[in-house]
Amino acid sequence: MTPPGRPSAAVPRRRASLLAGLLAAGLVGLTACSAAPDAEKEPASQPVSGGTELAALWPLTGRPVTERTPDHPVVVAKVDNTRASAPQVGLAQADLITEELVEGGMTRLAVMFYEDVPAVVGPVRSMRATDIGIVKPTLGIVAASGAAPSTLKRVRDAGIVAFDDLTGTGYYRDAARTKPYDLMVRLPALVASLSEDPVVPPSYLPWGSEADFPGGTRARSLDAVFSDEHTTSWRFARGKYVNDNSFAAQGQRFDPDTLLVLRVRQRDAGYLDPAGNRVPETVFAGSGEAMLLHGGELVRGTWTKRRPGGPLRLQTETGPLSVPAGRTWIELVPTDEDGGRVSVGQSG
């Protein structure tokens, strides 16, 4: 247990043997802490290759792993993404990040940790119903600051375990920040408090190799316009994508290998925030336009997701599209009809 008031060391990757029989049987449909009855059946994401040789993939990056997986579930931290959140901490050690629209035209981040866990992450804010489709495929837990009663019920009914500062270990208020942007989480303490054995989640994205990426049009910059109030801007530099208007602290920024832009519909979540703004809900199921950026190039296609807890599929006119293994940032950008917009620049 981390002593109060002192940040803990990051949790190291722990070695644990993966049993081929379990993997062959498939682990899809189980959550880290409870059953997930609506998870779709699919081939095990950690297949046995060559008879007895294990050829597993890290579920959030698609990179190969042979003999080790963490002894904790995926942890999804809900991090504020407004100027008031600066400086964000903990993002640099994430495996994958998803950005979603919230009320007032602002965005929030679902920051996913599995291979490594940072000492501290935050500031954390509340969940939205959109998070069901984001979190459920990870079979993980959520570190947040709570949720509106109707949202919390939906999250629980979906079989997702979520913690806040009243129910979770490791939460504290940073005196140098202003409320409500001061709630931080020492993730090693939260992870250490979990009592049930985790299961290896399925692959979060349809992973492939660098050679599988078909290449496309030149794309050296991208503006993901969520609303008139917020745009996330990216540029390609030295093999990575750099967020030019990030709120992350120095050395804490997440520079992904790949950007995946999914155009998504919005609907009314059915309640107002304390400021009187209507809360939107992203419909993260169905289908829509997809844009995959890697290596400074763009491939266009479509995405499908049969249900919130099911796998995401990508398709082009010529066939299935895979995501190159590595760290990915997913932008859930509203459709044009819902006020979103995406622009791509070729220079740079």
Side-chain angles (χ1 to χ4, degrees):
M1 185 69 65
T2 302
R6 190 179 74 185
S8 59
V11 170
R13 297 178 183 175
R14 304 186 183 182
R15 293 183 174 273
S17 176
L18 295 179
L19 300 179
L22 288 175
L23 296 173
L27 298 172
V28 179
L30 299 176
T31 66
C33 300
S34 60
D38 65 339
E40 294 188 10
K41 292 182 178 179
E42 61 173 334
S45 61
Q46 280 74 34
V48 174
S49 175
T52 59
E53 182 181 354
L54 189 65
L57 301 178
W58 287 108
L60 300 182
T61 64
R63 292 169 175 158
V65 57
T66 55
E67 296 181 357
R68 62 185 183 188
T69 55
D71 59 359
H72 61 77
V74 171
V75 180
V76 183
K78 290 306 305 295
V79 176
D80 187 81
N81 195 44
T82 65
R83 189 168 301 278
S85 69
Q88 299 163 331
V89 297
L91 273 60
Q93 288 175 259
D95 297 322
L96 186 148
I97 293 178
T98 297
E99 184 174 12
E100 62 187 281
L101 181 70
V102 293
E103 61 276 10
M106 298 293 104
T107 66
R108 198 155 291 177
L109 307 179
V111 186
M112 303 182 188
F113 303 97
Y114 188 54
E115 296 181 38
D116 288 298
V117 174
V120 176
V121 66
V124 295
R125 298 296 306 278
S126 57
M127 295 178 291
R128 297 293 180 270
T130 303
D131 296 323
I132 295 172
I134 295 173
V135 175
K136 192 165 181 59
T138 71
L139 311 184
I141 65 167
V142 182
S145 64
S150 59
T151 298
L152 188 58
K153 183 180 185 303
R154 290 178 62 184
V155 169
R156 288 173 173 168
D157 287 348
I160 297 172
V161 176
F163 295 95
D164 57 25
D165 55 327
L166 298 179
T167 62
T169 301
Y171 282 78
Y172 72 99
R173 298 279 178 181
D174 184 344
R177 299 171 182 261
T178 58
K179 290 184 177 182
Y181 308 99
D182 60 342
L183 188 59
M184 316 295 285
V185 186
R186 296 186 179 96
L187 285 190
L190 179 61
V191 165
S193 71
L194 304 177
S195 59
E196 296 190 28
D197 292 334
V199 293
V200 180
S203 291
Y204 194 80
L205 293 173
W207 299 114
S209 68
E210 192 84 25
D212 295 328
F213 185 68
T217 59
R218 183 179 173 89
R220 295 289 169 163
S221 64
L222 180 138
D223 286 334
V225 182
F226 285 81
S227 69
D228 292 339
E229 287 73 30
H230 182 81
T231 297
T232 299
S233 299
W234 297 94
R235 59 184 170 85
F236 182 71
R238 297 181 298 278
K240 301 284 185 179
Y241 289 90
V242 179
N243 182 191
D244 282 329
N245 54 351
S246 171
F247 299 114
Q250 184 69 26
Q252 297 289 307
R253 190 165 58 188
F254 181 88
D255 294 330
D257 304 292
T258 302
L259 298 177
L260 176 58
V261 181
L262 307 178
R263 305 303 303 275
V264 289
R265 294 184 298 109
Q266 304 294 311
R267 63 188 176 198
D268 191 339
Y271 63 96
L272 305 179
D273 73 354
N277 297 306
R278 290 216 162 266
V279 177
E281 178 184 342
T282 294
V283 183
F284 196 19
S287 61
E289 176 190 353
M291 303 167 67
L292 184 64
L293 288 85
H294 181 80
E297 295 187 333
L298 163 67
V299 176
R300 296 180 182 271
T302 58
W303 67 269
T304 57
K305 202 171 191 282
R306 289 175 54 194
R307 63 179 85 179
L312 182 74
R313 305 300 187 197
L314 301 173
Q315 186 85 13
T316 67
E317 292 181 350
T318 59
L321 177 63
S322 60
V323 179
R327 302 205 304 169
T328 304
W329 183 297
I330 301 175
E331 301 280 26
L332 298 182
V333 181
T335 61
D336 291 352
E337 293 80 4
D338 290 321
R341 191 171 70 255
V342 178
S343 60
V344 177
Q346 296 185 345
S347 62

